[in-house]
Amino acid sequence: MSANEITPLLEARNIVKIFGTLRANDDVTLKCMPGEIHAFLGENGAGKSTLVKMIYGALQPTSGQFFWNGRGVVIASPSVARQLGIGMVFQHFSLFEALTVAENIALAMPGSFDLGALSARISKVSASYGLPIAPDAVVADLSVGERQRIEIIRCLLQEPKLLIMDEPTSVLTPQEADQLFAVLKRLASEGCSVLYISHRLEEVKDLCDSATILRHGKVVACVNPKKETAASLARLMVGGDVHAVKPAKAGTVGKERLLLKNLSLAADGQFAVALKNISLAVRAGEVVAIAGVAGNGQGEFFDAISGERPVETGMVEIDGVAMGRAGINARRKVGAAFVPEERLGHGAVPEFPLSQNVLLSRHAADDRLVKKGLVQKDGARETAERVIKAFDVRKGKPDPEARALSGGNLQKFVVGRELDRTPAVLVINQPTWGVDAGAAAAIRQAILDLAAQGSAVLVISQDLDEIFEVATRIAVISRGELSEARPAAAWSREAIGLMMAGAHEQKHDSRKEKRHAAGA
Amino acid sequence: MDLFLTIITAATPLLLAAIGELVVERSGVLNLGVEGMMVMGAVCGFGAAFLTGNPWVGVLASIIAGAAMSLLFGFLTLTLLANQVATGLALTLLGIGLSGLIGESFVGQPGVKLPVVAGIDPLIPFSVILTAGVSYVLFRTRSGLIIRAVGNSHSAAHALGYNVIAVRYLCVMFGGACAGLAGGYLSIVYTPQWVENMTAGKGWIALALVVFASWLPWRAAIGAYLFGAISILSFVVQTYGLGIPSQFLNSLPYLVTILALVLISGNRALSKRNTPACLGQPFVPDR
């Protein structure tokens, strides 16, 4: 080693982490230089989160060592990590829902306890980096995008030397993502290193100076992403070619199968979103995608169509039957199927094996599973196995509990469970959120195939790549209002992004006004 | 005025126990053993006061007895990860049985009473100060923020580097000390004597008060005084002989509790904000 070579800010040397029989990290070595944006790539389950948790002190390595500015360190706890200058934005946010933004941030800040002074600092950093947030808002009332800002501001306030970002753009509009990239580039130019975890290879190519790629717990390559193509990076990650989604043929579009007429729903809570006069027809053979930033009424929209929240009877029609007041099972019986956003807890019961999870959404509409009120165990098992096979759900044991599957595999299962019925109408909220490239491609292909068979598919998504890949027509939802659904070819990314973001900014202003009004 | 004081005196043990349990539940632990800790506080407090002749030693002993019981609960549920509901119920049964055994020779003995000034014993102002103090700590200090954070999401608190188990141990012991003191209040102030099972369900009422209060200290105080008022008034009404069956009057406080719980749980925004999301869930840190 020559004397004038730059010392890495953080170096992980020969890290091994063993959980039971699983080697989650196997001899992982990673170097992050001062002021660089370093990508950390790998499929779900490759071991990225494990390494990152060890860097942040939440887990301890089985063997191997970390070096900080060339000195060997033991990162015994997150507070040690913070003292070193390591900040982390978690993928599954580590926020306290019942507490305010300022309280959440105070919990991570050492020193004197003064919420007023802290709120002022939050507002200052939030203005300086263009990350709008109200310090006195309660987290439970905020959207996913806003929650991410809290985490970022929480890190920035600690003036970190290394910022770890775990899948940060999955919840942002293109404009919000660009804004985030500007923040990250500014941080890097100020000398702060960024360890950037993502599945989105294009943005890694744009943003990152170097990339370490992990597969099955082992480092397979360390490359300069600017000299690679997205396809070559994907090959390194997956260890083979990723099948591109075959675009739908401009097929025949049939009758209207899902019809929404002036769908309105009052807001359920102070900061919840009300749906305003949404009208939309989804016809057989087409995929309609709803684009929008998290927290603009997508959840309420999904709940109203699926029957989790009843509306007036004529507002929702499925295959010509007015279903606005009907429960979710009645809607399933006429051929509709629904995939909610949250796969664990909403889409599947974590503690139940897959064969029982199959029953949850299909017990009413499928007599192979339930006959005369009795559960058909064999039928359930066969159905689960059929779904597992058709969607290549990778699992450890024959009938594992839902929580034992990785995110991507569970999502494939939850989607597959509904597709297995070939529903007439499929409504799917965030089909590939936090899912690796391989699984996402499989799910998108399945959505297109279903539409090609004559079903009507409604996809709610924040991922514009996904929307352009699957959609026949696109509409944008903002503040509970839906734009006109226009053919995908008639939209540009910028047009969609502006529609999503412009409305979002207005929403902030209106909230502020609401608060002022309440205070006055 | 006398009636007013009687009500306050009847309400004070409920308030003490409820405030302690409120802190425990804010940290995400459900200790159903309040009744057991109270009755142990009552017998140990009475015994220590009787044997030393000093009521203040009795007060101290009741606090220690309650805290010791809660430490047992903490060890079983926080360290050994036993089920909190089952352990809490067992703690109540243990407390009732053990207190009967310890108190066998105290039955019928004259008690030693805390000095009272103008009908007000020192624990009445103390309970009000305690309520104010707990409210201040929970909502105005870092320690309180940590307690609420641990009760709201123990995994997030752990990820930030807080010692969830240690915070919960401290809160559980605070709750135990308060419950013990509440028991001591019964046997040293309220009726200075030892009668087996003399708490007679007050621990359970304290538990209900915490929910009634939607985990807010001042509401717990209002609830305790309301409950005290209704139970005293039902005695007063009986003396007038209005022909209302005494059983109905005796059950009145409990009916009001149920009614209040129903009304409170109707306010979803309030309960969403204040219910500790991790209540009753054991915390197992990552490997």
Side-chain angles (χ1 to χ4, degrees):
Chain A
M1 215 191 244
S2 66
N4 58 0
E5 195 174 326
I6 306 165
T7 325
L9 174 72
L10 174 85
E11 185 181 357
R13 219 179 271 168
N14 309 110
I15 300 289
V16 177
K17 178 68 186 177
I18 300 172
F19 293 124
T21 57
L22 175 76
R23 290 175 86 87
N25 276 187
D26 195 353
D27 201 23
V28 172
T29 294
L30 175 143
K31 278 182 193 172
C32 190
M33 304 315 248
E36 83 166 347
I37 303 181
H38 189 106
F40 195 33
L41 296 172
E43 289 209 283
N44 273 6
K48 296 174 309 232
S49 300
T50 307
L51 182 72
V52 159
K53 279 186 188 162
M54 287 188 281
I55 296 175
Y56 194 60
L59 283 178
Q60 292 307 314
T62 311
S63 70
Q65 220 195 343
F66 292 106
F67 293 83
W68 183 256
N69 284 324
R71 260 186 326 112
V73 287
V74 175
I75 307 171
S77 75
S79 54
V80 173
R82 284 198 297 268
Q83 276 159 26
L84 288 173
I86 301 174
M88 173 149 177
V89 174
F90 292 86
Q91 181 185 12
H92 301 289
F93 303 135
S94 65
L95 293 173
F96 303 94
E97 296 228 336
L99 306 182
T100 65
V101 172
E103 286 176 331
N104 266 282
I105 293 177
L107 280 164
M109 304 289 291
S112 69
F113 184 76
D114 181 350
L115 282 181
L118 184 62
S119 297
R121 280 181 69 198
I122 292 167
S123 303
K124 208 172 132 205
V125 170
S126 120
S128 133
Y129 282 91
L131 299 161
I133 200 85
D136 58 347
V138 176
V139 173
D141 300 324
L142 298 181
S143 71
V144 187
E146 289 169 312
R147 290 177 192 209
Q148 184 187 51
R149 285 185 216 146
I150 306 176
E151 294 236 357
I152 295 173
I153 291 171
R154 177 155 84 183
C155 291
L156 293 182
L157 280 172
Q158 294 163 41
E159 286 155 14
K161 295 189 188 72
L162 173 67
L163 184 62
I164 306 170
M165 306 280 301
D166 197 352
E167 301 268 347
T169 53
S170 47
V171 292
L172 306 179
T173 63
Q175 282 86 354
E176 280 180 310
D178 286 343
Q179 222 171 27
L180 174 69
F181 296 156
V183 170
L184 295 181
K185 282 177 181 155
R186 176 172 152 193
L187 281 170
S189 71
E190 289 167 1
C192 173
S193 306
V194 178
L195 190 56
Y196 189 85
I197 300 172
S198 182
H199 291 132
R200 297 194 177 172
L201 303 170
E202 286 296 342
E203 72 187 28
V204 165
K205 268 171 61 64
D206 282 351
L207 185 69
C208 301
D209 309 308
S210 58
T212 298
I213 299 166
L214 206 63
R215 192 195 316 151
H216 301 312
K218 289 195 176 85
V219 173
V220 290
C222 190
V223 297
N224 180 345
K226 294 198 169 32
K227 291 183 182 149
E228 300 285 325
T229 63
S232 67
L233 288 171
R235 261 197 303 280
L236 285 169
M237 260 167 67
V238 183
D241 283 309
V242 178
H243 295 286
V245 176
K246 276 185 252 121
K249 283 177 243 107
T252 46
V253 171
K255 58 171 183 162
E256 291 174 351
R257 306 203 82 159
L258 174 68
L259 191 59
L260 308 174
K261 282 191 270 187
N262 299 323
L263 172 65
S264 299
L265 187 64
D268 176 30
Q270 201 187 349
F271 290 132
V273 179
L275 301 180
K276 291 164 210 148
N277 275 323
I278 293 180
S279 294
L280 179 70
V282 187
R283 296 190 292 262
E286 71 171 352
V287 179
V288 174
I290 308 289
V293 183
N296 270 287
Q298 290 96 327
E300 290 82 356
F301 185 59
F302 180 86
D303 288 352
I305 303 175
S306 70
E308 285 186 42
R309 289 183 62 192
V311 288
E312 276 168 38
T313 188
M315 287 181 176
V316 180
E317 266 181 34
I318 298 171
D319 262 347
V321 189
M323 278 280 165
R325 285 201 181 284
I328 187 161
N329 278 327
R331 299 183 196 209
R332 283 180 182 139
K333 279 181 187 161
V334 298
F338 310 98
V339 182
E341 177 177 7
E342 242 184 308
R343 45 185 168 261
L344 264 189
H346 200 164
V349 177
E351 291 81 15
F352 280 12
L354 296 184
S355 63
Q356 290 182 16
N357 269 303
V358 150
L359 281 165
L360 290 174
S361 71
R362 295 179 51 177
H363 62 94
D366 193 335
D367 64 359
R368 277 171 303 178
L369 299 179
V370 177
K371 253 183 215 151
K372 295 181 180 139
L374 295 178
V375 169
Q376 306 295 304
K377 280 198 173 167
D378 289 342
R381 205 174 305 123
E382 279 162 23
T383 309
E385 274 162 17
R386 200 165 57 238
V387 172
I388 288 166
K389 201 156 159 260
F391 280 83
D392 185 27
V393 176
R394 284 171 219 168
K395 60 203 182 353
K397 53 181 186 179
D399 192 12
E401 294 172 349
R403 65 166 169 216
L405 296 183
S406 75
N409 280 308
L410 182 59
Q411 186 68 15
K412 282 197 279 187
F413 179 80
V414 171
V415 173
R417 173 177 71 184
E418 306 305 327
L419 291 181
D420 181 56
R421 286 171 55 203
T422 13
V425 172
L426 176 71
V427 182
I428 178 165
N429 194 359
Q430 318 301 349
T432 59
W433 196 80
V435 163
D436 58 85
I443 290 170
R444 289 168 195 167
Q445 188 64 57
I447 289 173
L448 287 172
D449 293 348
L450 180 74
Q453 289 173 45
S455 301
V457 183
L458 182 62
V459 173
I460 304 168
S461 178
Q462 297 165 22
D463 184 338
L464 284 186
D465 294 331
E466 169 169 275
I467 286 176
F468 278 107
E469 230 168 306
V470 300
T472 324
R473 289 188 296 146
I474 300 172
V476 179
I477 191 169
S478 67
R479 299 162 71 198
E481 289 177 66
L482 193 69
S483 76
E484 185 199 348
R486 284 190 272 159
W491 286 99
S492 68
R493 301 175 76 87
E494 287 66 33
I496 294 183
L498 283 174
M499 214 147 173
M500 289 155 77
H504 198 59
E505 289 314 309
Q506 283 167 22
K507 185 172 102 181
H508 270 281
D509 296 341
S510 75
R511 273 190 195 176
K512 260 180 227 152
E513 281 158 23
K514 220 194 282 182
R515 246 189 300 278
H516 284 310
Chain B
M1 193 61 201
D2 270 0
L3 183 67
F4 185 66
L5 266 180
T6 324
I7 289 170
I8 299 283
T9 317
T12 298
L14 297 176
L15 177 57
L16 287 170
I19 285 292
E21 179 67 12
L22 188 143
V23 172
V24 178
E25 293 190 12
R26 275 283 183 179
S27 79
V29 179
L30 181 65
N31 184 355
L32 293 180
V34 179
E35 179 83 0
M37 299 187 294
M38 258 179 99
V39 78
M40 282 297 285
V43 73
C44 293
F46 180 89
F50 174 70
L51 294 174
T52 62
N54 183 341
W56 291 106
V57 177
V59 168
L60 190 67
S62 66
I63 291 174
I64 292 171
M69 289 288 281
S70 69
L71 193 59
L72 175 65
F73 174 86
F75 178 69
L76 291 171
T77 57
L78 300 176
T79 303
L80 302 181
L81 301 174
N83 180 294
Q84 293 181 8
V85 171
T87 310
L89 293 174
L91 196 70
T92 289
L93 295 175
L94 172 71
I96 292 173
L98 193 59
S99 65
L101 185 68
I102 295 171
E104 219 179 348
S105 59
F106 300 147
V107 178
Q109 300 288 350
V112 186
K113 204 169 182 255
L114 265 190
V116 173
V117 181
I120 298 172
D121 62 80
L123 291 183
I124 289 177
F126 176 76
S127 67
V128 177
I129 294 167
L130 186 72
T131 308
V134 164
S135 184
Y136 180 81
V137 169
L138 275 181
F139 299 106
R140 292 278 177 274
T141 69
R142 180 184 292 274
S143 316
L145 182 58
I146 293 170
I147 292 172
R148 288 187 290 138
V150 165
N152 186 241
S153 169
H154 46 215
S155 45
H158 179 71
L160 281 179
Y162 288 106
N163 189 337
V164 173
I165 300 294
V167 171
R168 290 191 169 166
Y169 256 108
L170 291 174
C171 290
V172 162
M173 287 182 65
F174 176 79
C178 288
L181 180 62
Y185 189 88
L186 294 175
S187 65
I188 306 170
V189 179
Y190 198 54
T191 48
Q193 54 179 326
W194 165 249
V195 183
E196 206 175 311
N197 201 5
M198 72 183 291
T199 46
K202 290 196 172 59
W204 296 109
I205 294 167
L207 271 165
L209 279 175
V210 177
V211 184
F212 170 90
S214 46
W215 294 271
L216 295 172
W218 286 113
R219 282 175 162 247
I222 293 168
Y225 293 133
L226 188 71
F227 195 89
I230 295 165
S231 50
I232 295 297
L233 286 178
S234 66
F235 284 123
V236 176
V237 171
Q238 278 177 59
T239 58
Y240 287 111
L242 292 180
I244 303 169
S246 64
Q247 291 87 344
F248 176 75
L249 289 170
N250 288 336
S251 65
L252 203 57
Y254 304 94
L255 286 175
V256 172
T257 307
I258 292 171
L259 198 68
L261 285 178
V262 170
L263 291 177
I264 292 284
S265 51
N267 188 344
R268 278 170 58 198
L270 189 74
S271 50
K272 187 173 152 199
R273 185 72 215 277
N274 288 302
T275 308
C278 283
L279 188 58
Q281 291 173 16
F283 175 67
V284 190
D286 276 350
R287 293 147 290 190

